[in-house]
Amino acid sequence: MKKTVLTGITTTGTPHLGNYVGAIRPAIRASQHPDSRAFYFLADYHALIKCHEPEHVHRSTLEIAATWLALGLNTDNVTFYRQSDVPEITELAWLLSCMTAKGLMNRAHAYKAAVQANEEAGDLDPDKGITMGLFSYPVLMAADILMFGATHVPVGRDQIQHVEMARDIAQRFNHHFGELFVLPEAVVEDDVAVLQGLDGRKMSKSYNNTIPLFLPPKQLQKSINKIVTNLLEPGQPKDPETSTVFQVWRAFATPEQTAEMRREFAAGIAWGEAKKRLCALIDSEIAEARERYEILLANPAAIEAELQKGASKARAIASPFMQRLRAAVGIRPLG
Ligand code: TRP
């Protein structure tokens, strides 16, 4: 079976350095190989689970699409589309829902965390504020994955459980209706850095500690200056291993540059100086893409055209497969 990579990006928020290093950069590099079979999509229906602000969802879709294209995603080699442009996915989500044990969804981390938050707040209703979207979110994600026969699903650690659920659901469906789905596996890249954010915790929009990817250089410097450091003075040796500045440096530097910065830390480089160099290093990697990003943002129709191209490639697969699935469950013409 051919290796098929698939991953989705929820369209809430603006891409940050953590997204870039952990997900976007490796995916774009992989897309340069002509024999890669990969699906990357904007999970805009997933965005509605967390965000009920239309302008925000819309803007984020634009920014994320522009980011991937500006960074050089090769859309001839891979299929790049918007989830909502492939209505077969939500249709499949229903078929899967009807084969998914409610008890399985009860165990999903995102749902359990929301229940726990209610209990800790002393709410009488443990399901307060929890929508069916949040509850059954792993089913929609399973539909995303199973629709395209994904074998490898690159995700963050928090998403492993969801990929395993997709596998469980697929197995149950196959067992009942025949071998229709490929069983997917989560891939967590251990050699890809999980970037730390401004406060030293994992860089994440939910912690509000991110450095946006395409800030203009001056603002990028300002944001980098907010990385929390200790109070060691210039001239005092500093420990690279506990430093977010060093950790981010390493994600952008060559091995030689990393060794050089390690020596600078030992020699007591001032935090201000280290941050200045970090900004220059990041800028040297992304400056050209930033220019393309600005041009794309000013021309949303070009982005839309790319997404439409992706949607027709995706539907060319999804639509006949959905026909087969419908037939398999007994929904087919009568004569
Ligand atoms: N839920 C994922 C996240 O929040 C995004 C996502 C949606 C996804 N559908 C997917 C990831 C399918 C991988 C495969 O990060």
Coordinates of all heavy atoms in Angstrom, one line a residue, residues 120-164:
E120 N -14.5 21.2 38.3 CA -13.7 22.0 39.2 C -14.3 23.3 39.5 O -14.1 23.9 40.5 CB -12.3 22.2 38.5 CG -11.4 20.9 38.8 CD -10.2 20.8 37.9 OE1 -9.9 21.8 37.2 OE2 -9.6 19.8 37.9
A121 N -15.1 23.8 38.5 CA -15.8 25.1 38.8 C -17.0 24.9 39.6 O -17.7 25.9 39.9 CB -16.1 25.8 37.4
G122 N -17.3 23.7 40.0 CA -18.4 23.4 40.9 C -19.8 23.5 40.2 O -20.8 23.6 40.8
D123 N -19.8 23.3 38.8 CA -21.0 23.4 38.1 C -21.8 22.1 38.3 O -21.3 21.0 38.4 CB -20.8 23.5 36.6 CG -20.8 25.0 36.2 OD1 -21.9 25.6 36.5 OD2 -19.8 25.5 35.6
L124 N -23.1 22.2 38.5 CA -24.0 21.1 38.7 C -24.1 20.2 37.4 O -24.1 19.0 37.5 CB -25.4 21.5 39.1 CG -25.4 22.1 40.5 CD1 -26.8 22.6 40.9 CD2 -24.9 21.1 41.5
D125 N -24.1 20.9 36.2 CA -24.1 20.2 35.0 C -22.7 20.0 34.4 O -22.1 21.0 34.0 CB -25.0 21.0 34.0 CG -25.0 20.4 32.6 OD1 -24.5 19.2 32.5 OD2 -25.5 21.0 31.7
P126 N -22.2 18.8 34.4 CA -20.9 18.5 34.0 C -20.7 18.8 32.5 O -19.6 19.0 32.0 CB -20.6 17.0 34.3 CG -22.0 16.4 34.4 CD -22.9 17.5 34.9
D127 N -21.8 18.8 31.7 CA -21.7 19.1 30.3 C -22.0 20.5 29.9 O -22.2 20.9 28.8 CB -22.7 18.2 29.5 CG -22.2 16.8 29.4 OD1 -21.0 16.6 29.3 OD2 -23.1 15.8 29.4
K128 N -22.0 21.4 30.9 CA -22.3 22.8 30.7 C -21.4 23.4 29.6 O -20.2 23.2 29.6 CB -22.1 23.6 32.0 CG -22.5 25.1 31.8 CD -22.5 25.8 33.1 CE -22.6 27.3 32.9 NZ -22.4 28.0 34.1
G129 N -22.0 24.0 28.6 CA -21.3 24.7 27.5 C -20.6 23.8 26.5 O -19.9 24.2 25.7
I130 N -20.8 22.5 26.7 CA -20.2 21.6 25.7 C -21.1 21.2 24.6 O -22.2 20.8 24.8 CB -19.8 20.3 26.5 CG1 -18.8 20.6 27.6 CG2 -19.2 19.2 25.5 CD1 -18.4 19.4 28.4
T131 N -20.7 21.5 23.4 CA -21.5 21.3 22.2 C -21.3 19.9 21.7 O -20.4 19.2 22.0 CB -21.2 22.3 21.1 OG1 -19.8 22.0 20.7 CG2 -21.3 23.7 21.5
M132 N -22.3 19.5 20.8 CA -22.1 18.2 20.2 C -20.9 18.2 19.2 O -20.3 17.2 19.0 CB -23.4 17.8 19.4 CG -24.5 17.4 20.2 SD -24.1 16.0 21.3 CE -23.7 14.7 20.0
G133 N -20.6 19.4 18.7 CA -19.4 19.5 17.9 C -18.2 19.1 18.6 O -17.3 18.3 18.1
L134 N -18.0 19.6 19.9 CA -16.8 19.3 20.7 C -16.9 17.8 21.0 O -15.9 17.1 20.9 CB -16.8 20.1 21.9 CG -15.6 19.7 22.9 CD1 -14.3 20.1 22.3 CD2 -15.8 20.3 24.3
F135 N -18.1 17.3 21.4 CA -18.2 15.9 21.8 C -17.8 15.0 20.7 O -17.0 14.0 20.9 CB -19.6 15.6 22.3 CG -19.8 14.3 22.8 CD1 -19.1 13.8 24.0 CD2 -20.6 13.3 22.2 CE1 -19.3 12.6 24.5 CE2 -20.7 12.0 22.6 CZ -20.1 11.6 23.8
S136 N -18.3 15.2 19.5 CA -18.1 14.2 18.4 C -17.0 14.7 17.5 O -16.8 14.1 16.4 CB -19.4 14.0 17.7 OG -19.9 15.2 17.2
Y137 N -16.1 15.6 17.9 CA -15.1 16.1 17.1 C -14.1 15.0 16.6 O -13.8 15.0 15.4 CB -14.4 17.2 17.9 CG -12.9 17.5 17.9 CD1 -12.2 17.4 16.7 CD2 -12.3 18.0 19.0 CE1 -10.8 17.7 16.8 CE2 -11.0 18.3 19.0 CZ -10.2 18.1 17.9 OH -8.9 18.5 18.0
P138 N -13.8 13.9 17.4 CA -13.0 12.9 16.8 C -13.6 12.1 15.6 O -12.9 11.5 14.8 CB -12.8 11.9 18.0 CG -13.0 12.8 19.2 CD -14.1 13.8 18.8
V139 N -14.9 12.2 15.5 CA -15.6 11.5 14.4 C -15.3 12.2 13.1 O -15.1 11.7 12.1 CB -17.1 11.3 14.6 CG1 -17.8 10.6 13.4 CG2 -17.4 10.6 15.9
L140 N -15.5 13.6 13.2 CA -15.2 14.4 12.0 C -13.7 14.2 11.6 O -13.4 14.1 10.4 CB -15.5 15.9 12.3 CG -15.2 16.8 11.1 CD1 -16.0 16.4 9.9 CD2 -15.6 18.3 11.6
M141 N -12.9 14.2 12.6 CA -11.4 14.0 12.3 C -11.2 12.6 11.7 O -10.4 12.5 10.7 CB -10.6 14.2 13.6 CG -9.2 14.2 13.4 SD -8.3 15.0 14.7 CE -6.7 14.2 14.6
A142 N -11.9 11.6 12.1 CA -11.8 10.3 11.5 C -12.2 10.3 10.1 O -11.6 9.7 9.2 CB -12.6 9.3 12.3
A143 N -13.3 11.0 9.8 CA -13.8 11.2 8.4 C -12.7 11.8 7.5 O -12.4 11.4 6.4 CB -15.1 12.0 8.3
D144 N -12.1 12.9 8.0 CA -11.0 13.5 7.3 C -9.9 12.5 6.9 O -9.4 12.5 5.8 CB -10.2 14.5 8.2 CG -11.1 15.7 8.6 OD1 -11.9 16.2 7.8 OD2 -10.9 16.3 9.7
I145 N -9.6 11.7 7.8 CA -8.4 10.7 7.7 C -8.8 9.6 6.8 O -8.1 9.2 5.9 CB -8.0 10.2 9.1 CG1 -7.4 11.4 9.9 CG2 -7.0 9.1 8.9 CD1 -7.1 11.1 11.4
L146 N -10.0 9.0 7.0 CA -10.4 7.7 6.4 C -10.8 8.0 4.9 O -10.7 7.1 4.1 CB -11.5 7.0 7.1 CG -11.1 6.7 8.6 CD1 -12.3 6.0 9.3 CD2 -9.9 5.8 8.6
M147 N -11.3 9.2 4.7 CA -11.7 9.5 3.3 C -10.6 9.3 2.3 O -10.9 8.9 1.1 CB -12.3 11.0 3.3 CG -12.7 11.4 1.9 SD -14.1 10.4 1.4 CE -15.5 11.3 2.0
F148 N -9.4 9.6 2.6 CA -8.3 9.6 1.7 C -7.3 8.5 1.9 O -6.2 8.5 1.3 CB -7.6 11.0 1.6 CG -8.6 12.1 1.2 CD1 -9.1 12.9 2.2 CD2 -9.0 12.2 -0.1 CE1 -10.0 13.9 1.8 CE2 -9.9 13.2 -0.5 CZ -10.4 14.1 0.5
G149 N -7.7 7.5 2.7 CA -6.9 6.3 2.8 C -5.5 6.7 3.4 O -4.5 6.1 3.1
A150 N -5.5 7.6 4.4 CA -4.2 8.0 5.0 C -3.6 6.9 5.7 O -4.3 6.2 6.5 CB -4.4 9.2 5.9
T151 N -2.3 6.7 5.5 CA -1.6 5.7 6.3 C -0.8 6.4 7.4 O -0.7 5.8 8.5 CB -0.6 4.9 5.4 OG1 0.3 5.8 4.7 CG2 -1.3 4.0 4.4
H152 N -0.3 7.6 7.2 CA 0.5 8.3 8.1 C -0.1 9.7 8.4 O -0.4 10.4 7.5 CB 1.9 8.5 7.6 CG 2.7 7.2 7.4 ND1 2.4 6.3 6.4 CD2 3.7 6.7 8.1 CE1 3.2 5.3 6.5 NE2 4.0 5.5 7.6
V153 N -0.4 9.9 9.7 CA -1.0 11.2 10.1 C -0.1 11.9 11.0 O 0.0 11.6 12.2 CB -2.4 10.9 10.7 CG1 -3.1 12.3 11.0 CG2 -3.3 10.1 9.8
P154 N 0.7 12.9 10.5 CA 1.6 13.7 11.4 C 0.7 14.6 12.3 O -0.1 15.4 11.8 CB 2.4 14.5 10.4 CG 2.1 14.1 9.1 CD 0.8 13.4 9.1
V155 N 0.9 14.5 13.6 CA 0.2 15.3 14.5 C 1.0 15.6 15.8 O 2.1 15.0 16.0 CB -1.1 14.5 15.1 CG1 -2.2 14.6 14.0 CG2 -0.8 13.1 15.5
G156 N 0.6 16.5 16.6 CA 1.2 16.8 17.9 C 0.7 15.7 18.8 O -0.3 14.9 18.6
R157 N 1.4 15.6 20.0 CA 1.1 14.5 20.9 C -0.4 14.5 21.4 O -1.0 13.5 21.6 CB 2.0 14.6 22.2 CG 3.4 14.4 21.9 CD 4.2 14.1 23.1 NE 5.6 13.8 22.6 CZ 5.9 12.6 22.0 NH1 5.1 11.6 22.0 NH2 7.1 12.5 21.5
D158 N -0.9 15.7 21.5 CA -2.3 15.9 22.0 C -3.3 15.2 21.0 O -4.5 15.0 21.4 CB -2.6 17.4 22.2 CG -2.5 18.2 20.9 OD1 -1.5 17.9 20.2 OD2 -3.3 19.1 20.7
Q159 N -2.9 14.9 19.8 CA -3.8 14.4 18.8 C -3.7 12.9 18.6 O -4.5 12.4 17.8 CB -3.6 15.2 17.5 CG -3.9 16.7 17.5 CD -5.4 16.9 17.7 OE1 -6.3 16.2 17.1 NE2 -5.8 17.9 18.5
I160 N -2.8 12.3 19.2 CA -2.5 10.9 19.0 C -3.8 10.1 19.3 O -4.2 9.2 18.5 CB -1.4 10.3 19.9 CG1 -0.1 11.0 19.5 CG2 -1.2 8.8 19.7 CD1 1.1 10.7 20.4
Q161 N -4.4 10.4 20.4 CA -5.6 9.7 20.8 C -6.7 9.7 19.6 O -7.4 8.7 19.4 CB -6.2 10.2 22.1 CG -7.4 9.4 22.6 CD -8.2 10.2 23.6 OE1 -8.4 11.4 23.4 NE2 -8.8 9.5 24.5
H162 N -6.8 10.9 19.0 CA -7.8 11.0 18.0 C -7.5 10.1 16.8 O -8.5 9.6 16.2 CB -7.9 12.5 17.5 CG -8.4 13.4 18.6 ND1 -8.1 14.7 18.7 CD2 -9.3 13.2 19.7 CE1 -8.6 15.3 19.8 NE2 -9.4 14.3 20.4
V163 N -6.3 10.0 16.5 CA -5.9 9.1 15.3 C -6.2 7.7 15.7 O -6.7 6.9 14.9 CB -4.4 9.4 14.9 CG1 -4.1 8.5 13.7 CG2 -4.2 10.8 14.5
E164 N -5.9 7.3 16.9 CA -6.2 6.0 17.4 C -7.7 5.7 17.3 O -8.2 4.6 17.0 CB -5.7 5.7 18.8 CG -4.2 5.5 18.7 CD -3.5 5.6 20.0 OE1 -4.1 5.8 21.1 OE2 -2.2 5.3 20.1

